[in-house]
């Protein structure tokens, strides 16, 4: 089986007839209906959407075979996946997270940094997480400036490490006549 891509997550039950809140991770929220049966992460359980309607920031959906609130409540938190080949092709400079995870990360000079561990978005843009061979992971903006090249076929991403700004020590700040952090000199 090919790689699975998470396209939705089942939320809380909605009403008494087996409906659930469904958060989709697709550009078109209703696209999840076109992919056929959706799979649980282990690939063993299948879910087929019977109905779906738009709500505020999610869909309200029913699944075939789920007819009661109790059944719907047991589905809360299940992530739904489809095989990668069922998804549409991406445009230039667009990537599915699953295509990036595991790629080698190298500097613009070709030095190894580690492997792509994950792509996150905490609300202020995408962040690429790189696991170096030793030490803490690196969290960097996933932007063209920091990630100028993504070579999926070659199995790597090129990282232009941002320049760190080194802070001044208190002695330098005082001798320059500037106040210390938090008050007067």
């Amino acid at each position: 089986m090919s790689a699975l891509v998470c396209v939705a997550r089942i939320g809380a039950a909605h009403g008494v007839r087996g409906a659930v809140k469904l958060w989709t991770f697709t550009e078109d929220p209703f696209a999840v209906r076109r992919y056929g049966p959706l799979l649980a992460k282990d690939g063993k359980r299948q879910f087929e959407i019977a109905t779906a309607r738009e709500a505020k920031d999610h869909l309200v959906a029913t699944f075939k075979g789920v007819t009661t609130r109790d059944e719907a409540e047991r589905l809360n938190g299940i992530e739904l996946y489809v095989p990668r080949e069922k998804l549409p092709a991406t445009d230039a400079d667009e990537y599915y997270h699953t295509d990036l995870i595991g790629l080698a990360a190298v500097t613009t000079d070709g030095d190894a940094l580690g492997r792509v561990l994950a792509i996150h978005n905490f609300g202020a843009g995408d962040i690429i997480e790189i696991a170096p061979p030793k030490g803490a992971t690196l969290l960097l903006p996933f932007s063209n400036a920091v990630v100028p090249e993504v070579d999926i076929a070659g199995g790597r991403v090129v990282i232009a490490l941002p320049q760190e700004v080194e802070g001044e020590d208190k002695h330098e700040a005082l001798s320059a006549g500037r106040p210390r952090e938090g008050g007067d000199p």
Side-chain angles (χ1 to χ4, degrees), residues 145-161:
V146 176
V147 187
E149 182 182 343
V150 175
D151 181 5
I152 292 174
R156 70 184 193 133
V157 294
V158 175
I159 305 293
L161 290 171

Side-chain angles (χ1 to χ4, degrees), residues 81-93:
Y81 294 78
V82 296
R84 169 67 175 87
E85 68 267 4
K86 286 191 175 190
L87 297 173
T90 58
D91 291 333
D93 289 337

Side-chain angles (χ1 to χ4, degrees), residues 3-26:
L4 294 176
V5 177
C6 184
V7 294
R9 182 178 45 81
I10 300 172
H14 182 87
V16 295
R17 296 192 176 125
V20 296
K21 293 179 180 181
L22 185 66
W23 276 269
T24 62
F25 309 128
T26 55

Side-chain angles (χ1 to χ4, degrees), residues 24 26 28-29 31 33-34 37 46 53 56 66 71 77-78 80 83 88 100 106 118 125 138-139 144 152 171 175:
T24 62
T26 55
D28 170 13
R33 296 189 73 185
R34 296 192 292 266
Q46 290 189 4
R53 66 179 170 82
K56 231 181 206 179
V66 177
E71 292 171 331
I78 294 176
L80 301 173
L100 299 172
V106 299
L138 302 171
L139 296 173
N144 288 334
I152 292 174
H171 182 268
S175 64

Side-chain angles (χ1 to χ4, degrees), residues 13-133:
H14 182 87
V16 295
R17 296 192 176 125
V20 296
K21 293 179 180 181
L22 185 66
W23 276 269
T24 62
F25 309 128
T26 55
E27 188 173 11
D28 170 13
F30 290 99
V32 296
R33 296 189 73 185
R34 296 192 292 266
Y35 300 136
L38 304 171
L39 305 170
K41 190 172 189 171
D42 63 9
K44 295 178 183 175
R45 294 176 62 190
Q46 290 189 4
F47 300 87
E48 192 170 340
I49 296 174
T51 64
R53 66 179 170 82
E54 200 165 7
K56 231 181 206 179
D57 58 351
H58 60 278
L59 297 179
V60 173
T62 59
F63 293 101
K64 290 184 179 177
V66 177
T67 58
T68 69
R69 182 175 181 88
D70 287 342
E71 292 171 331
E73 285 175 346
R74 287 193 288 272
L75 302 179
N76 191 356
I78 294 176
E79 292 180 331
L80 301 173
Y81 294 78
V82 296
R84 169 67 175 87
E85 68 267 4
K86 286 191 175 190
L87 297 173
T90 58
D91 291 333
D93 289 337
E94 285 186 336
Y95 311 96
Y96 290 112
H97 291 189
T98 192
D99 294 340
L100 299 172
I101 294 169
L103 294 181
V106 299
T107 66
T108 53
D109 294 331
D111 298 329
L113 281 176
R115 295 238 169 243
V116 176
L117 189 60
I119 308 295
H120 304 284
N121 190 318
F122 302 111
D126 289 330
I127 295 173
I128 188 167
E129 183 175 3
I130 299 169

